[in-house]
Amino acid sequence: MPDMTQTTPETLLEVKNIEVIYNHVILVLKGVSLSVPRGGITALLGGNGAGKTTTLKAISNLLHSERGEVTKGAIRYRGEIVQGLDPARLVGKGVIQVMEGRHCFEHLTIEENLLTGAYTRTDGRGAVEADLQMVYAYFPRLRERRKSQAGYTSGGEQQMCAIGRALMSRPGMILLDEPSMGLAPQLVEQIFEIVKSVNENEGVSFLLAEQNTSIALRFAHYGYILESGRMVMDGPADELRQNPDVREFYLGVGAEGRKSFRDVRSYRRRKRWLS
Ligand code: ATP
């Protein structure tokens, strides 16, 4: 596999050969490398348990609470080593994670939730208010629901709130974990469209973990496929979409017609990219 992680002036995030161990013994990431260019939407793809969330948490240094640890490799943001940096300091540097499962504060209103995203900022109320309006412009639904208690809003609204709250920290990069999870296809489409416009208009880069390969490869520029803690393939999104193995095993469209994504035995036999 070509080394796609060489630092260039355009590289914003670089993960080089990291290993993650949980509970001192469970080796989950076995030498994962990836890079996200400035202004890019990069997809991190893979099935259940492949290690996508672990990779994102390794970057944002959220593994400690899970008894996980990066034991090898390096993580750089804008060329600077960020391993071991307190997550709040990392937010200050422009990297923020939107966790899987949305995680809004249920007892706060949508607007209060959004404002919590600005807590690390020191540029004054005017700037924060302007960004609140920017978030409402991207998510008109959040403006309509701004006075509602987040716990009573729909799954889609909570996902929008979680992304909106991340935007309130004025990030350079958002690590977005499984935004499609549990949402109806039409809503997923809407959320990805908004991610695309935020990327294009605000210059925010995204590293997007997704099991939904089909939608992720339509919106991302570049993709990495992770399996059992190892990168097995990477390439421009258009190329991955045309790749016969990706089509068969991740998009469910094989040469012999439609095939189940979960047809693990046949999958293992044909895993050409590992041999
Ligand atoms: P999903 O889409 O299900 O979240 P994922 O690709 O994000 O999958 P991870 O959540 O990163 O995968 O999990 C990767 C592996 O690490 C799995 O085998 C999982 O069981 C294991 N794992 C995750 N968290 C822990 C933990 N706190 N302690 C031990 N093992 C863990």
Side-chain angles (χ1 to χ4, degrees):
M1 201 188 307
D3 180 3
M4 301 306 301
T5 61
Q6 293 142 8
T7 306
T8 68
E10 293 301 313
T11 302
L12 198 54
L13 176 76
E14 183 198 19
V15 173
K16 190 119 192 168
N17 211 16
I18 59 165
E19 191 175 272
V20 168
I21 297 184
Y22 284 111
N23 287 318
H24 303 291
V25 285
I26 310 165
L27 178 62
V28 168
L29 297 189
K30 303 154 188 168
V32 165
S33 298
L34 61 85
S35 71
V36 182
R38 188 183 306 278
I41 301 180
T42 298
L44 181 58
L45 306 166
N48 216 339
K52 304 181 297 298
T53 299
T54 302
T55 305
L56 297 193
K57 285 188 172 170
I59 297 165
S60 48
N61 205 16
L62 289 169
L63 285 172
H64 287 301
S65 58
E66 313 226 13
R67 298 177 54 81
E69 204 185 341
V70 178
T71 47
K72 270 191 196 159
I75 302 169
R76 290 189 184 84
Y77 181 68
R78 297 184 197 272
E80 181 193 343
I81 293 273
V82 289
Q83 251 150 296
L85 213 62
D86 176 62
R89 288 214 37 219
L90 198 57
V91 173
K93 288 190 180 292
V95 184
I96 189 158
Q97 179 160 353
V98 176
M99 307 269 249
E100 181 179 338
R102 308 183 268 276
H103 294 282
C104 295
F105 298 109
E106 292 186 2
H107 300 291
L108 299 184
T109 64
I110 290 287
E111 185 153 302
E112 286 164 346
N113 265 281
L114 293 175
L115 289 171
T116 63
Y119 82 105
T120 51
R121 289 175 57 173
T122 52
D123 52 352
R125 284 181 57 176
V128 170
E129 176 56 32
D131 283 349
L132 189 61
Q133 296 312 317
M134 178 266 292
V135 169
Y136 286 147
Y138 283 109
F139 299 99
R141 187 74 191 142
L142 293 184
R143 188 195 300 276
E144 287 166 31
R145 303 287 269 145
R146 67 187 187 280
K147 301 282 182 227
S148 307
Q149 207 172 307
Y152 292 110
T153 63
S154 71
E157 288 160 354
Q158 289 185 32
Q159 182 61 271
M160 292 177 186
C161 180
I163 298 172
R165 187 175 59 194
L167 281 175
M168 290 300 293
S169 70
R170 284 210 152 257
M173 164 164 291
I174 296 183
L175 309 170
L176 187 52
D177 198 357
E178 210 81 52
S180 76
M181 198 176 69
L183 301 182
Q186 214 182 339
L187 252 175
V188 173
E189 188 78 26
Q190 206 181 323
I191 285 174
F192 272 84
E193 285 289 355
I194 295 170
V195 164
K196 181 170 179 246
S197 6
V198 168
N199 168 256
E200 288 173 358
N201 304 332
E202 311 299 325
V204 177
S205 306
F206 284 85
L207 177 60
L208 178 71
E210 255 305 338
Q211 278 194 48
N212 187 334
T213 309
S214 164
I215 191 144
L217 287 181
R218 269 202 292 122
F219 285 88
H221 308 120
Y222 199 90
Y224 290 86
I225 300 181
L226 193 60
E227 259 183 33
S228 306
R230 286 199 171 88
M231 278 316 174
V232 291
M233 193 184 274
D234 65 85
D238 288 346
E239 281 175 25
L240 290 181
R241 285 170 71 189
Q242 300 309 321
N243 179 288
D245 286 328
V246 175
R247 286 173 69 78
E248 182 162 1
F249 300 117
Y250 287 92
L251 297 172
V253 191
E256 303 137 39
R258 293 189 71 83
K259 238 184 192 166
S260 166
F261 179 105
R262 298 189 195 88
D263 191 355
V264 178
R265 247 173 297 167
S266 142
Y267 174 43
R268 293 230 166 102
R269 270 205 307 276
R270 285 213 33 213
K271 244 199 260 172
R272 297 200 290 262
W273 58 69
L274 279 181
S275 54

